[in-house]
Amino acid sequence: MQTRAIALSALLATSALTGAALAQDNPMVGGAPMSPEMNIIENAVNSADHTTLVAAVEAAGLVETLQGDGPFTVFAPTNEAFAALPEGTVDTLLMPENLEMLQQVLTCHVVGAEADAAALMGMIDADGGSHTIETLGGCMLEATYDGDTITITDENGTAATVTIANVMQSNGVIHVTDAVFTPAM
């Protein structure tokens, strides 16, 4: 157990160095440059692909949280991911009476630690091919990878592919995904 903790600590330290190097080449998201000097919210509002996510974060009252020091890893579903949910789901979640449900859905996409793709793959390898990720919303996600494609699966079996990895932020990292996670039903 102690050896594993040391190995994970070394992996995360290496990941932090890798993240700093990758920050110089931050990918564009939603047609906008992503500045590693800006926080998660400051960058997200610039992405044309994340207007639904930004609106949901605002409605849930989570803007201040995601502007905080972190570090955070955010699996950020695109507008298309939200549009793929059953009809009416987003509208229902945005109703004031469903605030707690909206907050839980959104925090199922947030981890209270920074993990770039290399760190995620290292944890997956260390766990024999699948790594369990606990989110701030209490969701348990399973991470796997094939080649350099990372897949995250929620408790309901919804699998999301990380379509853009390692979007470094001043308070963490964003991995763009093509599906929305939901808490266990």
Side-chain angles (χ1 to χ4, degrees):
M1 184 73 168
Q2 185 177 12
T3 303
R4 184 173 173 187
I6 292 169
L8 283 176
S9 294
L11 179 64
L12 290 174
T14 302
S15 166
L17 294 174
T18 303
L22 291 172
Q24 297 169 353
D25 297 323
N26 235 7
M28 299 226 350
V29 177
M34 297 285 114
S35 171
E37 289 82 30
M38 293 169 57
N39 67 48
I40 290 165
I41 296 298
E42 291 168 333
N43 275 315
V45 298
N46 293 320
S47 169
D49 291 343
H50 290 90
T51 56
T52 304
L53 178 61
V54 169
V57 167
E58 289 172 347
L62 295 172
V63 170
E64 189 174 308
T65 300
L66 293 174
Q67 286 179 323
D69 291 338
F72 301 109
T73 297
V74 175
F75 298 104
T78 61
N79 295 339
E80 287 181 5
F82 279 102
L85 292 171
E87 188 174 333
T89 300
V90 173
D91 291 335
T92 299
L93 285 171
L94 293 174
M95 292 177 173
E97 61 268 24
N98 295 325
L99 177 63
E100 286 182 27
M101 185 185 321
L102 176 61
Q103 289 172 334
Q104 185 176 19
V105 167
L106 292 174
T107 56
C108 280
H109 295 81
V110 182
V111 180
E114 183 176 330
D116 69 6
L120 284 172
M121 289 175 168
M123 289 181 258
I124 292 165
D125 287 342
D127 287 349
S130 178
H131 177 71
T132 302
I133 301 168
E134 184 173 358
T135 68
L136 295 180
C139 293
M140 302 303 280
L141 308 175
E142 286 298 316
T144 58
Y145 74 91
D146 183 16
D148 56 359
T149 300
I150 297 172
T151 302
I152 310 292
T153 305
D154 72 11
E155 297 160 307
N156 299 306
T158 299
T161 300
V162 173
T163 58
I164 302 173
N166 300 333
V167 186
M168 305 312 291
Q169 314 290 298
S170 65
N171 61 346
V173 61
I174 292 174
H175 301 295
V176 177
T177 64
D178 63 358
V180 177
F181 304 130
T182 54
M185 303 284 171

